[in-house]
Each structure stands twice: as C-alpha cells, then as structure tokens.
C-alpha cells in the first residue's frame, strides 16, 4: 500500500504519455486508454478495502519537501471526505471512456489522452494536502476539459469552452488570493511559512474574525462558481449541452463536486467563524438554487439542458446539507455529491447514446420511442426515478439526510427545499413521458436498442444506485469519523462565539 496515492495520481498521466509516444492509431489508443482507466479503478479497490473507517484523520499519507524555501511539500492524504470522491472519479472516468468508443470519431488519440490527463488532475485535487500542490492539480483539470468541450463538442463548442474557461479561471484566481492570504497570515502568526493544509487548519483560532470573513467570501465565490450555485451558474448549461457525452459525464459527475469539496476542506475548518455567521446566507442561496434550477429545468426543450439545470437544483441540496453544520446534513451532502455523480452521469450517458442514433436532443422530436427501445426505456426509467429520489434508491437517502440536517439547523429553509423535491418529480416525469411515451414518432420505428457494450457500462451505476438506496451504511461508514471530527470542530467554535 506504500505510495498508493502517488500511483493513483500519476498512473493515468504515465498512460497518457505512453499513448502519446507509442500509439498512432485512434482505435488502439482508445483501447489503451480504456485498459489504463480499468487499472486505475482497480487500484482504488485496495485503497477502499484498507481504509480505516474509525480513523478521522488523513491516511496513506505521503510527505516530502518539494520547494523547502517556500514551505511547499509533496503532501498527499485521504480521509472519509475524499475517499468516496476518488472512487467516484476513477469509476466514472472508466465508464466515460468506454461510453466514448463510438461517439468520438475525430482525433481519437488526443481525446483519450485528454481524458487521462483530466483524471490525473481530478484525483490529485482530492488527494493533495498542500495548497500549492492542490492549486496545480485544480488548474490541471481546466485545460483538458476546455479542450474536450472546444474540440469534440457541438456547434457552439467554442463559445461554451471559452465561457467555461473564463468562469473557472475567475474562480481559480479568487481561490489563489485566499491561499496566499492564509499563507502569509499563518506565517506571521506562527513564524512558519507553509502551504500545508493541515497546519494552516490547526491555527484556525488565531485568525481574526474580519480576516475569516474576507477569506471565506473569496473562497466561497470561487467554489460557488465550480458547484455551480445561483447566480454564478450560467456557464454550466452551455458547457453541458456542447460537451461530448464523456465531457458531460465528468463535468456533472466529478468537476462540480470540486466546489463542494473545497467548501468542506477549506471554508468550514479554516474559517469556521465566518461559516457559522454566514450559514443563513448560504442556506438561502442553496434553496434559491434548488427552486430556480427546478423551475428553469421545467421549461427546457433540449433534454440535455434540462438535466444540466437539474444539476443546479440537486447541487443546491448538497450545499444546504453541508451548511447545516451537523452530522446528518454534512453526511447527506457528501452522499448526495456521490449520488449526483452516479445518477446524472448515467443520465448523460443515456442521452448521449440516444443522440448518437437520432442526432437530436429536442424533446419535441421524440415521442413513443419506448416501443422501439424497451431496454433503453427501462434503464432510463430507473435513473429518472433515482433522480427524483424514489425510496430504495441512492438519492432518496442523500436528500433525506440533508433535509433532516437542514430541519435541525434552519427549518424554514428546509421546508422550502422540500418543495424542490416535488418540482424535480414534475420535470423529470414530464420529460420521461414526452420522450419515451405518447404516440410513436414514425422516424424512430426502427431505432436500435442498447447493445451489450452500452448495457455493460451502465450496469455498475445501476448496482450502486440500489446499493446506496438499500444499504447506505456501506458508503456512509467511510465518512462517519471524519464528519464527526468536522462537526465537533464547528461546535467548538460555535460555543466559543456565544
């Protein structure tokens, strides 16, 4: 198990370099990238199996000086907050690559290299315990995703890619300002100038209230763009609609989680005073995102854009749970991050494969296709129900925990958030009914149903949806200790503030 985190981060990058140097054909690079992504996923299995669920702190820690004069270290670690995100990342990357076999027809080699480089950036972001290292991995995600949207996207891909780049870059710059402020303030207080995330967190009681409020605001805006929260969400629908299927899957499944992960890792532990003071504001923004995202989703004509706006709504539940600042809310938020990655990732895969056959995403162009594609219709129905939050499926558990935590913290906002659950049922069922049922559009009489490859890459997501819904403890057990430590941290500050 020694250096397993380094292997997880750099194996996809090594595979990308290997493909770049030794492969010429698109098909061969496609298979090489898929095999590399399978190996990467397999590496996460012993990590999950050997993770001590009773330990709240970092595990599998790797630490070495990198630029000692600036206090920069090669510092990696994983805890109960990040381990599920690492699992989600390697799983979805493997599935997204397999799902791209027929979708990507141009510059295949470059596409799969971009996917593997993106995986390195994503896994590295979740494992970095040094701010400098974290920022490098954070930025490393930006370029391959920009290329995936801009090169392999739809008709308005350049517009969507540039918009995605500018929004994300703005968030990154704000985050960098907060990091530098923490670096110098921690250095002035302790005499130890370091980018070590854990050491900077340990001194949270020494940071002044005004300083905390400023750093929190800068961090929060940067992460809110990534989530994305209302009103800084406008890049998301364009990016989702124009991105190829694999890009949409990774964007919804993993990249949006970077924002909420940043809130859990930095905003709460490093600026607890500001987090407690401003939790009503975040709750209000979260509920606005839930209601607004659902209402806008209802009027969408493009099926992909509908699911994109549903992400704004669902991620509102995540931020609402996190800022409830209690065990149920935070665990619900983390579980919902995972659920959203699985369910929305699957929905984008299903939309992508029907788009390959019909070359349209307009809901009005469909109608009655369930008669032609019964397997597709059945699987689509399952994930539609999962997205609504039907009991026995993962999202139900996540939303239930979020609402329990939110009721304890701010019951008024929780009641409003519950209305969002009803809205989500309205737009998802309406979409499902218009696409799969009504009278059959003659154009789709001979539509091909899902083939074996497509069923294979959807199947693991189906299992996980029901696994979380029927026995969530398997997944929650990873986070209990780490979340309890975080809640204790917040409660200590709350008591000190009285």
């Amino acid at each position: 198990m020694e250096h397993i985190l380094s292997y997880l981060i750099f194996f996809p990058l090594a595979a990308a370099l290997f493909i770049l140097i030794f492969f010429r054909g698109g098909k061969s690079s496609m298979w090489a990238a898929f095999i590399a992504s399978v190996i990467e996923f397999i590496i996460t299995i012993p990590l999950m199996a050997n993770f001590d669920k009773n330990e709240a702190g970092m595990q599998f820690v790797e630490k070495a000086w990198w630029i000692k004069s600036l206090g920069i270290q090669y510092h990696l670690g994983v805890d109960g907050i990040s381990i599920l995100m690492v699992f989600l990342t390697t799983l979805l990357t493997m599935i997204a690559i397999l799902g791209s076999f027929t979708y990507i027809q141009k510059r295949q080699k470059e596409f799969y290299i971009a996917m593997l480089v993106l995986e390195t950036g994503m896994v590295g972001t979740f494992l970095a315990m040094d701010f400098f290292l974290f920022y490098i991995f954070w930025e490393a995600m930006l370029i391959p995703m920009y290329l995936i949207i801009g090169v392999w996207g739809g008709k308005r891909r350049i517009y969507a890619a540039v918009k995605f780049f500018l929004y994300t870059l703005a968030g990154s710059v704000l985050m960098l300002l907060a990091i530098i402020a923490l670096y110098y303030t921690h250095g002035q207080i302790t005499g130890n100038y370091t980018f070590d995330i854990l050491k900077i967190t340990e001194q949270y009681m020494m940071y002044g209230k005004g300083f905390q409020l400023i750093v929190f605001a800068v961090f929060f805006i940067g992460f809110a763009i990534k989530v994305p929260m209302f009103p800084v969400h406008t890049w998301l629908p364009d990016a989702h609609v124009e991105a190829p299927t694999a890009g949409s899957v990774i964007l919804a499944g993993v990249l949006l989680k970077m924002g909420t992960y940043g809130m859990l890792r930095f905003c709460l532990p490093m600026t607890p005073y500001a987090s407690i003071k401003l939790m009503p504001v975040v709750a209000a923004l979260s509920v606005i995102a839930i209601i607004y995202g659902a209402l806008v989703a209802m009027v969408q004509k493009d099926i992909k854009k509908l699911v994109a706006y549903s992400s704004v709504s669902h991620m509102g539940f995540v931020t609402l749970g996190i800022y409830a600042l209690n065990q149920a809310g935070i665990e619900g938020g983390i579980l919902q991050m995972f659920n959203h990655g699985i369910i929305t990732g699957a929905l984008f895969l299903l939309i992508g494969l029907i788009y390959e056959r019909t070359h349209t995403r307009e809901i009005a162009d469909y109608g009655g296709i369930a008669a032609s594609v019964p397997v597709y219709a059945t699987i689509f129905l399952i994930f539609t129900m999962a997205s609504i939050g039907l009991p026995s499926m993962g999202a139900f558990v996540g939303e239930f925990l979020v609402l329990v935590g939110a009721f304890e913290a701010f019951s008024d906002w929780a009641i409003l958030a519950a209305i969002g659950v009803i809205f989500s049922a309205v737009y998802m069922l309406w979409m499902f009914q218009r696409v799969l049922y009504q009278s059959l559009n003659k154009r789709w009489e001979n539509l091909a149903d899902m083939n074996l490859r497509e069923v294979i890459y959807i199947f693991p997501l189906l299992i996980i949806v029901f696994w979380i819904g029927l026995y969530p403890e398997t997944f929650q057990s990873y986070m209990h200790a780490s979340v309890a430590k975080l809640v204790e941290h917040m409660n200590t500050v709350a008591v000190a503030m009285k």
Side-chain angles (χ1 to χ4, degrees), residues 21-37:
I21 296 169
F22 295 105
F23 285 76
R24 290 187 178 179
K27 293 289 182 187
S28 57
S29 60
M30 176 181 80
W31 279 105
F34 175 62
I35 292 168
S37 68

Side-chain angles (χ1 to χ4, degrees), residues 363-439:
I363 294 172
D365 289 344
Y366 294 101
I369 65 170
S372 304
V373 288
V375 176
Y376 178 86
T378 304
I379 294 175
F380 202 112
L381 176 63
I382 291 171
F383 282 106
T384 299
M385 294 297 119
S387 180
I388 291 170
L390 197 73
S392 80
M393 296 182 178
F396 171 76
V397 182
E399 288 180 354
F400 178 77
L401 286 171
V402 165
L403 290 175
V404 168
F407 263 104
E408 183 183 331
F410 21 65
S411 55
D412 293 345
W413 290 120
I415 292 168
L416 288 172
I419 296 171
V421 178
I422 300 168
F423 286 166
S424 74
V426 171
Y427 65 75
M428 288 302 292
L429 289 175
W430 194 27
M431 178 270 289
F432 182 80
Q433 190 261 343
R434 284 182 293 168
V435 172
L436 276 299
Y437 290 101
Q438 297 182 331
S439 58

Side-chain angles (χ1 to χ4, degrees), residues 6 112 125-126 134 144 156 181 192 203 214-215 247 270 348 350 352 391 407 434 449 452 457 459 464 489:
S6 291
Y112 293 108
T125 301
F126 287 126
F134 174 86
R156 296 174 70 243
N192 178 23
Q203 301 301 323
I214 293 170
V215 169
M270 290 182 185
F348 277 123
L350 291 167
F407 263 104
R434 284 182 293 168
D449 206 346
L452 182 61
Y457 67 65
F459 192 66
I464 292 174
H489 174 87

Side-chain angles (χ1 to χ4, degrees), residues 89-102:
T89 302
T90 58
L91 174 68
L92 285 183
T93 303
M94 176 180 68
I95 290 173
I97 287 176
L98 183 59
S100 301
F101 275 19
T102 53

